[in-house]
Amino acid sequence: MIPLRLHLQNFLSYGDSGAPIDFEGIHVACLCGPNGHGKSTLLDAITWALWGQARTNTADDLVRLGQTSMLVDFEFLVDGQHYRVTRRRTKGKSSQSDLQFQVREGEGEWRALTGQGVRGTQERIVQSLRMDYETFINSAFILQGRADEFARKTPGDRKKILGEILNLGQYDQLHDAARARRADARMRVNALEADLQRMEAEQRRLPELTAQVEKLTQLHTQAELAVERSRTELQQILLEQARLDEHRRQREDLDRRLAGAEARLKSDRQLLAAAQARIAQAETLVKRAPEIRGRAQEYYALCKERDELAAAAAQLRTLEREREMLQRRVREAEYQIQSRLQLVRQRVRELRARTEQLPKIQEQVGDLDRQVAGLDRLQEQSAALQARLQDLAAVRAEAAAELRRCEEELTKADERFQTLKAARAQCPICEGALPEEKRLELGRQLRDQKSALKTAQGAAIQKEADARRADEEIRRGLQDLDRKLKTGQHMRDRLAQARQTLLELETATKELPGELKIAAELEKQLEAGSFAAEEQQQLRELEARIKALNYDERRATTLTSRIQQLASAERDLHSLEQAEAALPEHRQQVETLQAALLTQEEALADDRAARAQAVKELERVPAVEAETRRRDGALAQAEREEAGLAKQLGAAHEALKQCEALAAQIAERRKEREAAARDEAIHEELAKAFGRNGIQALIIENALPEIETEANLLLARMTEGQLSVRLNSQKELKSGGQAETLEIEISDGMGPRRYELFSGGEAFRVNFAIRIALSKLLARRAGARLETLVIDEGFGSQDEEGRTRIIEAIGAVQEDFARILVITHLDELKEKFPTRIEVTKGTAGSQVAIY
């Protein structure tokens, strides 16, 4: 994977205004800047974009403080193919993630490779990279303090680290899994042995169980016969109880019939009394017939007259409402004219008051015009002083440049003078013969040069001081002019305001005559009453119609009083007519009720006799119920005994059946025990194969030549073939035989020696070569090429020689990588790299510049 372009928005210390970082054209670069400014953040952004992982396990922690979302857009090459990954994250109550994956084709168009959801897209990215996050950070990254970690460990720890790099942990997991399955198989063997022992003991009870089933079968048959006898006896007594229940229902039915008959008899007697009362009431009304009809005729005549007067009153109220509405319209029209007249009079008063202010405002405008006239001259003076300041700035810059030049030349002259003093017979520059006279002549020349430089240095200092004093004097003058111009601006504002007021007063003077004319016309309308003419005409017509109605309110009151006195006349007439019509029907109803009462009294006597007979039969109920309870209890006892024997017989049958089936189960258990024993033996062998002395030792043994070859190729370039390394995985024991180990043996022109006996520079080159070899091995095992190398080796902890060795080592391997990024915060190392990626942090976030 080769980085091409990286763009960050609100990722950790980076804001949303930074330009994308372009890695194209960069081979070896120094990623520099102060600690905490965001150097390592760029590497976190790359790993988060590709794998969704960084130094923190929580994506929301990567969002810049104060922001709710972030984005990383990363372009890279894999095997010459151009890819692009864009990963977004929004945090909040419902955090969301988005991941897009694209490949560049043809004319530079992007084709989507995004899968089903974030998980599917992540799988496609890993497939294209052929490398997961753990492989990447353990191969492409050489972190601080890790270059010599492998060599400094003990042989046993070295082998453990190599096992981790080769991902041999999976064989440890297989070893543990094989041991766990072996233990499971052992447990199954033990459990099956216990089952076999239990089954064989149970099988020996077969004769006993057979005899038990025969005995329980005989007892159960006897219990079934006893239950049948008890059930027959209970059925007989239940028949007798059913006959008595029928008598009870008959008695209850007679009770209901008697109650209903007595209620109907009582109701019919009440109906007879009511019918007789209605006949008496109707006969009384018939006797008063002439009086009732006379009052009714008078009532109807008075009601007709009252209705005619009510119609006239309603018409009068309608006309009065119309008259009130017209009067209101007339008043509203008059009020509108009065209101408008009041507004016009107020406007006239305001215009007259403003017109009186006109001379004063004209005088004020003239005074302000004269005060503002001198402001333009002050602005011209300010512009001239600003131009002079720019000239002085150029003079000061020129003097500062001359001063720096003099200081640099003086430093060089001092160095040459000290070199000349130390020289004796040979010129330190041309390496020719240096006589004493020539050395003294050169010394005089250097002193003359230093004297001239000091003179020029003093002139530059004086020139810069003169320019600074002039600058300060001009700035004081500018401050005075600024105060005057600020006062003048206030006068301009007052002048503009006064001119606006003058324009408004002149407009008011022109409007006054028109407003006076409008006021006179409105006063004339009010005096003449020339408003709402149509409504006033309608009012006069309504007054005439109201007068023509001639409505008598006292006659209406008299009629209402007499009608109230005769209010019952209509009701009495209606009652009279109903009584005359219903009297024959009431007399017929009395005769019918008298005949029905006689029939009901005869039926009631018969029902009372039948009820007395049923009550006599029910006297046997307590004895029959007691016998029923006795026989029911006997049946329940017999059924319980039969059920208990049936349960025992079923359990015995089941036990016998299970015992008979044990032969097949015992054979099956024996087969299962044999299979479990075989499984235990197989996993015992697998545990040994997956252990440290099995496949793991074989893989390490096969990987060591590859690591040696890669490390020795790097050492040959870094040491011109002087150093080589050998990794031994076994050593001879004094007691005979061999032991597993991982020794590092280094050879130089003097022969092989242990790692600890070599100097710091030689040991560093060996460490660096082994670390690069391990990184390449890990990348190849993942199926990927190691095309990018990131080194964070902590230059600050190295002395000058150590830093030089690191730079030399990087130069020795640079042809093996398309990109090499070295992280440092030391300014003195920046110039040792062809490209610098400088990271600085400001208020808007971290920024990146490439030099």
Side-chain angles (χ1 to χ4, degrees), residues 148-181:
D148 60 345
E149 181 179 22
F150 185 76
R152 288 189 291 101
K153 296 292 184 180
T154 64
D157 289 340
R158 289 188 198 123
K159 198 163 188 178
K160 182 178 179 182
I161 292 172
L162 184 57
E164 293 175 355
I165 292 175
L166 294 173
N167 196 22
L168 297 183
Q170 58 183 330
Y171 293 102
D172 288 333
Q173 295 175 2
L174 291 172
H175 171 73
D176 294 341
R179 293 186 61 187
R181 292 189 180 183

mmCIF file of all heavy atoms in Angstrom, residues 148-181:
data_model
loop_
_atom_site.group_PDB
_atom_site.id
_atom_site.type_symbol
_atom_site.label_atom_id
_atom_site.label_comp_id
_atom_site.label_asym_id
_atom_site.label_seq_id
_atom_site.Cartn_x
_atom_site.Cartn_y
_atom_site.Cartn_z
ATOM 1 N N ASP A 148 15.412 -2.448 18.373
ATOM 2 C CA ASP A 148 16.342 -3.407 18.959
ATOM 3 C C ASP A 148 15.669 -4.331 19.962
ATOM 4 O O ASP A 148 16.327 -5.051 20.696
ATOM 5 C CB ASP A 148 17.492 -2.677 19.650
ATOM 6 C CG ASP A 148 16.980 -1.771 20.775
ATOM 7 O OD1 ASP A 148 15.762 -1.514 20.803
ATOM 8 O OD2 ASP A 148 17.802 -1.330 21.599
ATOM 9 N N GLU A 149 14.342 -4.311 19.987
ATOM 10 C CA GLU A 149 13.630 -5.106 20.983
ATOM 11 C C GLU A 149 13.891 -6.596 20.777
ATOM 12 O O GLU A 149 14.111 -7.344 21.730
ATOM 13 C CB GLU A 149 12.127 -4.821 20.881
ATOM 14 C CG GLU A 149 11.306 -5.595 21.889
ATOM 15 C CD GLU A 149 9.828 -5.281 21.771
ATOM 16 O OE1 GLU A 149 9.411 -4.818 20.707
ATOM 17 O OE2 GLU A 149 9.110 -5.519 22.747
ATOM 18 N N PHE A 150 13.911 -7.053 19.527
ATOM 19 C CA PHE A 150 14.082 -8.473 19.244
ATOM 20 C C PHE A 150 15.455 -8.955 19.710
ATOM 21 O O PHE A 150 15.599 -10.003 20.349
ATOM 22 C CB PHE A 150 13.897 -8.707 17.740
ATOM 23 C CG PHE A 150 13.935 -10.153 17.342
ATOM 24 C CD1 PHE A 150 12.865 -10.977 17.588
ATOM 25 C CD2 PHE A 150 15.056 -10.698 16.739
ATOM 26 C CE1 PHE A 150 12.900 -12.313 17.225
ATOM 27 C CE2 PHE A 150 15.096 -12.024 16.377
ATOM 28 C CZ PHE A 150 14.016 -12.849 16.621
ATOM 29 N N ALA A 151 16.525 -8.164 19.389
ATOM 30 C CA ALA A 151 17.884 -8.602 19.710
ATOM 31 C C ALA A 151 18.155 -8.557 21.208
ATOM 32 O O ALA A 151 18.949 -9.351 21.727
ATOM 33 C CB ALA A 151 18.899 -7.737 18.956
ATOM 34 N N ARG A 152 17.547 -7.625 21.948
ATOM 35 C CA ARG A 152 17.830 -7.475 23.376
ATOM 36 C C ARG A 152 17.163 -8.538 24.236
ATOM 37 O O ARG A 152 17.494 -8.685 25.405
ATOM 38 C CB ARG A 152 17.379 -6.091 23.844
ATOM 39 C CG ARG A 152 18.263 -4.962 23.359
ATOM 40 C CD ARG A 152 17.906 -3.636 24.012
ATOM 41 N NE ARG A 152 16.611 -3.127 23.574
ATOM 42 C CZ ARG A 152 15.505 -3.220 24.273
ATOM 43 N NH1 ARG A 152 15.506 -3.809 25.457
ATOM 44 N NH2 ARG A 152 14.368 -2.728 23.811
ATOM 45 N N LYS A 153 16.197 -9.266 23.695
ATOM 46 C CA LYS A 153 15.487 -10.267 24.485
ATOM 47 C C LYS A 153 16.357 -11.510 24.697
ATOM 48 O O LYS A 153 17.346 -11.745 23.998
ATOM 49 C CB LYS A 153 14.190 -10.667 23.766
ATOM 50 C CG LYS A 153 13.184 -9.540 23.613
ATOM 51 C CD LYS A 153 12.624 -9.122 24.952
ATOM 52 C CE LYS A 153 11.534 -8.061 24.773
ATOM 53 N NZ LYS A 153 10.981 -7.635 26.059
ATOM 54 N N THR A 154 15.960 -12.325 25.665
ATOM 55 C CA THR A 154 16.605 -13.617 25.882
ATOM 56 C C THR A 154 16.232 -14.542 24.740
ATOM 57 O O THR A 154 15.245 -14.301 24.025
ATOM 58 C CB THR A 154 16.145 -14.223 27.205
ATOM 59 O OG1 THR A 154 14.735 -14.486 27.119
ATOM 60 C CG2 THR A 154 16.404 -13.269 28.365
ATOM 61 N N PRO A 155 17.001 -15.615 24.507
ATOM 62 C CA PRO A 155 16.671 -16.547 23.409
ATOM 63 C C PRO A 155 15.231 -17.054 23.481
ATOM 64 O O PRO A 155 14.553 -17.152 22.469
ATOM 65 C CB PRO A 155 17.699 -17.670 23.588
ATOM 66 C CG PRO A 155 18.881 -16.998 24.215
ATOM 67 C CD PRO A 155 18.316 -15.964 25.137
ATOM 68 N N GLY A 156 14.774 -17.375 24.702
ATOM 69 C CA GLY A 156 13.396 -17.858 24.831
ATOM 70 C C GLY A 156 12.377 -16.795 24.438
ATOM 71 O O GLY A 156 11.392 -17.074 23.758
ATOM 72 N N ASP A 157 12.615 -15.531 24.891
ATOM 73 C CA ASP A 157 11.700 -14.444 24.545
ATOM 74 C C ASP A 157 11.755 -14.137 23.053
ATOM 75 O O ASP A 157 10.742 -13.764 22.455
ATOM 76 C CB ASP A 157 12.053 -13.194 25.349
ATOM 77 C CG ASP A 157 11.686 -13.346 26.817
ATOM 78 O OD1 ASP A 157 10.842 -14.217 27.112
ATOM 79 O OD2 ASP A 157 12.241 -12.618 27.648
ATOM 80 N N ARG A 158 12.958 -14.252 22.442
ATOM 81 C CA ARG A 158 13.054 -14.030 20.990
ATOM 82 C C ARG A 158 12.161 -15.018 20.247
ATOM 83 O O ARG A 158 11.463 -14.659 19.296
ATOM 84 C CB ARG A 158 14.509 -14.206 20.533
ATOM 85 C CG ARG A 158 15.456 -13.114 20.967
ATOM 86 C CD ARG A 158 16.804 -13.290 20.308
ATOM 87 N NE ARG A 158 17.829 -12.540 21.014
ATOM 88 C CZ ARG A 158 18.941 -13.046 21.528
ATOM 89 N NH1 ARG A 158 19.186 -14.338 21.415
ATOM 90 N NH2 ARG A 158 19.807 -12.271 22.137
ATOM 91 N N LYS A 159 12.218 -16.246 20.673
ATOM 92 C CA LYS A 159 11.406 -17.259 19.996
ATOM 93 C C LYS A 159 9.911 -16.975 20.181
ATOM 94 O O LYS A 159 9.101 -17.172 19.269
ATOM 95 C CB LYS A 159 11.752 -18.642 20.557
ATOM 96 C CG LYS A 159 11.308 -19.780 19.649
ATOM 97 C CD LYS A 159 12.002 -21.071 20.016
ATOM 98 C CE LYS A 159 11.696 -22.154 18.990
ATOM 99 N NZ LYS A 159 12.395 -23.415 19.300
ATOM 100 N N LYS A 160 9.557 -16.461 21.373
ATOM 101 C CA LYS A 160 8.157 -16.113 21.625
ATOM 102 C C LYS A 160 7.714 -14.963 20.727
ATOM 103 O O LYS A 160 6.629 -14.985 20.141
ATOM 104 C CB LYS A 160 7.977 -15.742 23.099
ATOM 105 C CG LYS A 160 6.540 -15.409 23.469
ATOM 106 C CD LYS A 160 6.432 -15.088 24.949
ATOM 107 C CE LYS A 160 5.001 -14.735 25.325
ATOM 108 N NZ LYS A 160 4.894 -14.378 26.760
ATOM 109 N N ILE A 161 8.583 -13.920 20.598
ATOM 110 C CA ILE A 161 8.254 -12.771 19.734
ATOM 111 C C ILE A 161 8.122 -13.213 18.279
ATOM 112 O O ILE A 161 7.202 -12.813 17.564
ATOM 113 C CB ILE A 161 9.343 -11.683 19.878
ATOM 114 C CG1 ILE A 161 9.285 -11.068 21.278
ATOM 115 C CG2 ILE A 161 9.163 -10.602 18.815
ATOM 116 C CD1 ILE A 161 10.435 -10.133 21.566
ATOM 117 N N LEU A 162 9.062 -14.075 17.832
ATOM 118 C CA LEU A 162 8.981 -14.561 16.455
ATOM 119 C C LEU A 162 7.697 -15.352 16.247
ATOM 120 O O LEU A 162 7.069 -15.271 15.185
ATOM 121 C CB LEU A 162 10.210 -15.425 16.138
ATOM 122 C CG LEU A 162 10.318 -15.939 14.692
ATOM 123 C CD1 LEU A 162 10.296 -14.776 13.725
ATOM 124 C CD2 LEU A 162 11.584 -16.765 14.519
ATOM 125 N N GLY A 163 7.316 -16.108 17.246
ATOM 126 C CA GLY A 163 6.055 -16.834 17.149
ATOM 127 C C GLY A 163 4.866 -15.900 17.000
ATOM 128 O O GLY A 163 3.931 -16.160 16.233
ATOM 129 N N GLU A 164 4.863 -14.761 17.741
ATOM 130 C CA GLU A 164 3.786 -13.781 17.617
ATOM 131 C C GLU A 164 3.778 -13.164 16.226
ATOM 132 O O GLU A 164 2.716 -12.959 15.620
ATOM 133 C CB GLU A 164 3.947 -12.697 18.681
ATOM 134 C CG GLU A 164 3.734 -13.211 20.105
ATOM 135 C CD GLU A 164 4.022 -12.144 21.138
ATOM 136 O OE1 GLU A 164 4.480 -11.048 20.739
ATOM 137 O OE2 GLU A 164 3.809 -12.410 22.335
ATOM 138 N N ILE A 165 5.000 -12.837 15.687
ATOM 139 C CA ILE A 165 5.068 -12.244 14.349
ATOM 140 C C ILE A 165 4.543 -13.215 13.300
ATOM 141 O O ILE A 165 3.849 -12.837 12.353
ATOM 142 C CB ILE A 165 6.524 -11.823 14.029
ATOM 143 C CG1 ILE A 165 6.937 -10.661 14.939
ATOM 144 C CG2 ILE A 165 6.693 -11.449 12.573
ATOM 145 C CD1 ILE A 165 8.382 -10.250 14.792
ATOM 146 N N LEU A 166 4.880 -14.513 13.476
ATOM 147 C CA LEU A 166 4.421 -15.526 12.530
ATOM 148 C C LEU A 166 2.995 -15.981 12.819
ATOM 149 O O LEU A 166 2.499 -16.911 12.182
ATOM 150 C CB LEU A 166 5.361 -16.738 12.604
ATOM 151 C CG LEU A 166 6.799 -16.482 12.138
ATOM 152 C CD1 LEU A 166 7.662 -17.684 12.420
ATOM 153 C CD2 LEU A 166 6.836 -16.120 10.661
ATOM 154 N N ASN A 167 2.344 -15.321 13.795
ATOM 155 C CA ASN A 167 0.949 -15.623 14.142
ATOM 156 C C ASN A 167 0.796 -17.078 14.575
ATOM 157 O O ASN A 167 -0.146 -17.761 14.190
ATOM 158 C CB ASN A 167 0.015 -15.314 12.969
ATOM 159 C CG ASN A 167 -1.426 -15.245 13.416
ATOM 160 O OD1 ASN A 167 -1.726 -15.023 14.588
ATOM 161 N ND2 ASN A 167 -2.348 -15.441 12.486
ATOM 162 N N LEU A 168 1.801 -17.560 15.360
ATOM 163 C CA LEU A 168 1.717 -18.933 15.840
ATOM 164 C C LEU A 168 0.737 -19.070 16.996
ATOM 165 O O LEU A 168 0.520 -20.185 17.477
ATOM 166 C CB LEU A 168 3.113 -19.408 16.273
ATOM 167 C CG LEU A 168 4.172 -19.456 15.155
ATOM 168 C CD1 LEU A 168 5.470 -20.010 15.695
ATOM 169 C CD2 LEU A 168 3.683 -20.284 13.971
ATOM 170 N N GLY A 169 0.176 -17.947 17.434
ATOM 171 C CA GLY A 169 -0.818 -18.012 18.506
ATOM 172 C C GLY A 169 -2.009 -18.875 18.126
ATOM 173 O O GLY A 169 -2.660 -19.475 18.985
ATOM 174 N N GLN A 170 -2.298 -18.950 16.800
ATOM 175 C CA GLN A 170 -3.421 -19.783 16.370
ATOM 176 C C GLN A 170 -3.161 -21.264 16.677
ATOM 177 O O GLN A 170 -4.079 -22.037 16.959
ATOM 178 C CB GLN A 170 -3.670 -19.600 14.864
ATOM 179 C CG GLN A 170 -2.476 -19.939 13.986
ATOM 180 C CD GLN A 170 -2.761 -19.664 12.529
ATOM 181 O OE1 GLN A 170 -3.894 -19.760 12.094
ATOM 182 N NE2 GLN A 170 -1.724 -19.336 11.777
ATOM 183 N N TYR A 171 -1.819 -21.667 16.629
ATOM 184 C CA TYR A 171 -1.513 -23.052 16.980
ATOM 185 C C TYR A 171 -1.631 -23.270 18.485
ATOM 186 O O TYR A 171 -1.977 -24.380 18.930
ATOM 187 C CB TYR A 171 -0.112 -23.408 16.484
ATOM 188 C CG TYR A 171 -0.024 -23.438 14.975
ATOM 189 C CD1 TYR A 171 0.549 -22.390 14.263
ATOM 190 C CD2 TYR A 171 -0.560 -24.502 14.253
ATOM 191 C CE1 TYR A 171 0.603 -22.405 12.885
ATOM 192 C CE2 TYR A 171 -0.504 -24.529 12.867
ATOM 193 C CZ TYR A 171 0.080 -23.484 12.182
ATOM 194 O OH TYR A 171 0.123 -23.503 10.823
ATOM 195 N N ASP A 172 -1.332 -22.221 19.281
ATOM 196 C CA ASP A 172 -1.574 -22.334 20.722
ATOM 197 C C ASP A 172 -3.057 -22.543 20.988
ATOM 198 O O ASP A 172 -3.456 -23.336 21.855
ATOM 199 C CB ASP A 172 -1.071 -21.076 21.451
ATOM 200 C CG ASP A 172 0.456 -21.009 21.492
ATOM 201 O OD1 ASP A 172 1.092 -22.074 21.448
ATOM 202 O OD2 ASP A 172 0.992 -19.883 21.560
ATOM 203 N N GLN A 173 -3.872 -21.801 20.235
ATOM 204 C CA GLN A 173 -5.321 -21.973 20.387
ATOM 205 C C GLN A 173 -5.751 -23.384 19.976
ATOM 206 O O GLN A 173 -6.585 -24.024 20.650
ATOM 207 C CB GLN A 173 -6.051 -20.927 19.539
ATOM 208 C CG GLN A 173 -5.814 -19.494 19.992
ATOM 209 C CD GLN A 173 -6.444 -18.490 19.053
ATOM 210 O OE1 GLN A 173 -7.096 -18.856 18.085
ATOM 211 N NE2 GLN A 173 -6.233 -17.207 19.340
ATOM 212 N N LEU A 174 -5.153 -23.891 18.865
ATOM 213 C CA LEU A 174 -5.478 -25.259 18.447
ATOM 214 C C LEU A 174 -4.996 -26.268 19.486
ATOM 215 O O LEU A 174 -5.678 -27.274 19.762
ATOM 216 C CB LEU A 174 -4.830 -25.548 17.087
ATOM 217 C CG LEU A 174 -5.411 -24.777 15.894
ATOM 218 C CD1 LEU A 174 -4.567 -25.011 14.652
ATOM 219 C CD2 LEU A 174 -6.856 -25.197 15.635
ATOM 220 N N HIS A 175 -3.810 -26.007 20.060
ATOM 221 C CA HIS A 175 -3.285 -26.881 21.109
ATOM 222 C C HIS A 175 -4.238 -26.920 22.308
ATOM 223 O O HIS A 175 -4.580 -28.010 22.816
ATOM 224 C CB HIS A 175 -1.900 -26.363 21.542
ATOM 225 C CG HIS A 175 -1.362 -27.053 22.756
ATOM 226 N ND1 HIS A 175 -0.885 -28.344 22.745
ATOM 227 C CD2 HIS A 175 -1.230 -26.615 24.047
ATOM 228 C CE1 HIS A 175 -0.490 -28.686 23.964
ATOM 229 N NE2 HIS A 175 -0.677 -27.650 24.774
ATOM 230 N N ASP A 176 -4.689 -25.693 22.737
ATOM 231 C CA ASP A 176 -5.635 -25.629 23.872
ATOM 232 C C ASP A 176 -6.949 -26.299 23.514
ATOM 233 O O ASP A 176 -7.556 -26.995 24.345
ATOM 234 C CB ASP A 176 -5.869 -24.166 24.261
ATOM 235 C CG ASP A 176 -4.610 -23.513 24.808
ATOM 236 O OD1 ASP A 176 -3.681 -24.252 25.212
ATOM 237 O OD2 ASP A 176 -4.550 -22.260 24.807
ATOM 238 N N ALA A 177 -7.404 -26.093 22.258
ATOM 239 C CA ALA A 177 -8.672 -26.711 21.843
ATOM 240 C C ALA A 177 -8.547 -28.233 21.830
ATOM 241 O O ALA A 177 -9.472 -28.959 22.244
ATOM 242 C CB ALA A 177 -9.066 -26.200 20.459
ATOM 243 N N ALA A 178 -7.387 -28.772 21.341
ATOM 244 C CA ALA A 178 -7.196 -30.223 21.320
ATOM 245 C C ALA A 178 -7.181 -30.789 22.740
ATOM 246 O O ALA A 178 -7.770 -31.847 23.016
ATOM 247 C CB ALA A 178 -5.893 -30.562 20.593
ATOM 248 N N ARG A 179 -6.498 -30.054 23.660
ATOM 249 C CA ARG A 179 -6.469 -30.527 25.049
ATOM 250 C C ARG A 179 -7.873 -30.489 25.672
ATOM 251 O O ARG A 179 -8.249 -31.398 26.419
ATOM 252 C CB ARG A 179 -5.523 -29.655 25.860
ATOM 253 C CG ARG A 179 -4.068 -29.799 25.459
ATOM 254 C CD ARG A 179 -3.159 -29.016 26.395
ATOM 255 N NE ARG A 179 -3.272 -29.516 27.760
ATOM 256 C CZ ARG A 179 -2.698 -28.929 28.806
ATOM 257 N NH1 ARG A 179 -1.984 -27.834 28.633
ATOM 258 N NH2 ARG A 179 -2.840 -29.426 30.014
ATOM 259 N N ALA A 180 -8.632 -29.421 25.331
ATOM 260 C CA ALA A 180 -9.993 -29.328 25.878
ATOM 261 C C ALA A 180 -10.856 -30.471 25.347
ATOM 262 O O ALA A 180 -11.640 -31.080 26.094
ATOM 263 C CB ALA A 180 -10.603 -27.975 25.524
ATOM 264 N N ARG A 181 -10.721 -30.791 24.046
ATOM 265 C CA ARG A 181 -11.521 -31.887 23.488
ATOM 266 C C ARG A 181 -11.064 -33.245 24.042
ATOM 267 O O ARG A 181 -11.885 -34.155 24.220
ATOM 268 C CB ARG A 181 -11.407 -31.878 21.969
ATOM 269 C CG ARG A 181 -12.085 -30.669 21.344
ATOM 270 C CD ARG A 181 -12.164 -30.781 19.845
ATOM 271 N NE ARG A 181 -12.813 -29.603 19.273
ATOM 272 C CZ ARG A 181 -13.079 -29.451 17.975
ATOM 273 N NH1 ARG A 181 -12.737 -30.412 17.123
ATOM 274 N NH2 ARG A 181 -13.665 -28.359 17.534
#
